[in-house]
Amino acid sequence: MPSPASHPENGTPGLAALRTLALVGPAGAGKTTLLEALLLQAGSIAQAGSIERGNTVSDFDPLERKLQHSLHTALVHLDHAGIRIHAIDTPGAADFIGQSLPALEAVDTAVVVINAQNGIELMASKMMETAAQRGLCRLIVINKIDAAELDLPGLLAQLREVFGRECLALNLPADGGRRVLDCFYNITGLADFSSVGIAHQALVEQVVEVDAAFVERYLNEGDVDPRELHAPLEQALREGHLIPVCFTSARSGAGVAELLDVIERLLPNPAEGNPPQFLRATASAETGEAVPLQAKPDPTAHVLAHVFKVVSDPYLGKLGVLRVHQGTLTRNSQLFMDKSRKPFRVGHLFMLQGNKHIEVEQALPGDLCAIAKVEELHYDAVLHDAPEDEHIFLRPLDFPVPVHGLAISPARHGDEQRLWEILGRLVDEDPCLKVERSGQTHETVVYGLGELHLRMLLERLRESYKFEVLTQPPRVAYRETIAAPAEGHYRHKKQSGGAGQFGEVYLRVEPLARGAGFEFIDAVKGGTIPGQFMPAVEKGVRSALESGVVAGYSLVDLRVTVFDGKHHAVDSKEIAFVTAGRRALIAAVREARPLVLEPVVQIQISSPAAAIGDITVDLAARRGQVNGTSTAVPGTIIVQGLAPLAELSSYQTRLNAMTSGQGRYTLLLSHYDAVPPNTQSQLMAAYKAGDDLD
């Protein structure tokens, strides 16, 4: 393999001596503990911290220490055998996938950590799939191999069944999981299962398959020296033709030194991995057309860097964490962001070690670093030093849509603006958080991926920002519509001593298809309503549509046709026709068999197979329906269905009870449908009639 190189100016590792990797996978797999063991083995720390003591390098946030779970991505670096390793620790809970997925945009290798006790979990499958889509090299680490009652041969077979025959053991556990044996460079050794020789043969045969010359040598000579296989090995990793599997116990240290050697000797440097998926918008950018652009990890080229994480630091302001893909980034560099024509200066350049910010002079292609005090920074920003690169962007990730809502308001009156500022910072940090101000319900609603996601947001408001809030489930965003055509009429006449007000409107309403919206038609003939007053009629109609008629929710999917009216040469004014249009619409809707509509969502539930019966019965009781089931990984069933959003309040609590805490679900808006008659009666009764005419 190429020998490590150093940058001549400051001694930092050069391209061949860089490795970038993200530790991803389900919660409880031991990613943070494994990273701690790697730091200890490399000599970066004198003593390993622990999750229980709350003193690990990567889980430095007070909430993470309190909950003993990773909530954010954290960066560390370590040096080993002449190479520098940039590693990212990621949260494993599905609610925080908005933190985990962006880490895959910054590295050459995804290290998928699997708990030997739990086997293949949904988060491992998601990360394997996304890493393959992004063209990353993949390495599977089976952790906790010293636990009791394991079936490691069965787990390895399951990996090959689920992820393909490309999954091959790079090493094997020995002495009851107290150590591991390398199978790539060695051909003998007594492992706990299988055979080092058989595993070695399988690895070599898989690697040489990508190179015809090595295939011929292998067939003629019977074996090939693995030290000659660096180039075909990197090709096999790039193409997904080989997915190595390593065994470790982060707690005991078994396999940790060997894993460091694997990272050094076998994993790709930035020039050997697949290039990032940059695109360049074409001249007809408004059509959404873009062509692939290959960034070259050349330190002498112009700069291309991508921001994959944003942090609001109370002392440094907004911190943008980025990967340099091309060129050399230095302190005092002048950079442009996306399409902005106004450059900014890089005042400080940091390398991150957990919560420590280590100032550096420069960053080369492959380096992960951070810049501070640039308020315009945002997730997914592309930084460059050439104005002609303004149309370059990275292929977007496919994030799940946040639909779990929580209505939130400040506990102290007058703090509304500060609440919006803080929520804005939190949304900047997490692509799967969304904040909306509902025009229908007049609530500030925060949307996340689940109850845990939103609970952690509230904890951060209290703990990090010392901001107290009041919360309640958000009002369901119902809508109103009509089921039949009808006509409405209203004459507005007002005389108050001086000039009067007069306007009369006749209109017709008709139902449209779901999702069609609203149509306004002027069918007046003979000038009974002069043309200059028709915008006022429409304004009044739209006012009634917005406020609703029977339950206080906006009216949708109807056509309004104004076909007659009257005016007065002196007293007709815009305000008169606004009022007449509004009240004529209300009169017509009340005769048009009004309906209240509710949002219906697609629900996807991941559950142990044993709980499937309880889930389908419970979903039916919530007016839902199951559309199909599938198997994600052995023992886990995915249920697809539809259900009214109003019936899914606190659903995770119920799902936890049915699945012993192992169930997860996601929601996506499907369509609107009529509520049951009893629900409509309740909503109409709760609505304050009388205000609708004011």
Side-chain angles (χ1 to χ4, degrees), residues 485-524:
E487 293 185 359
H489 158 248
Y490 191 82
R491 171 185 285 193
H492 179 71
K493 185 177 181 180
K494 187 175 182 181
Q495 197 73 35
S496 57
Q501 295 181 9
F502 181 86
E504 188 169 4
V505 171
Y506 291 84
L507 55 77
R508 182 184 306 109
V509 295
E510 303 166 81
L512 297 178
R514 292 283 187 270
F518 164 64
E519 292 181 16
F520 182 83
I521 297 176
D522 175 6
V524 172

Side-chain angles (χ1 to χ4, degrees), residues 137-178:
C137 302
R138 289 169 288 169
L139 171 70
I140 295 175
V141 173
I142 298 177
N143 192 28
K144 305 187 180 183
I145 61 171
D146 54 351
E149 299 181 4
L150 298 179
D151 180 12
L152 295 179
L155 178 53
L156 186 57
Q158 191 182 84
L159 288 171
R160 291 173 59 82
E161 177 186 346
V162 174
F163 300 129
R165 58 180 289 274
E166 301 83 12
C167 299
L168 294 174
L170 198 59
N171 54 42
L172 288 170
D175 295 340
R178 287 189 288 273

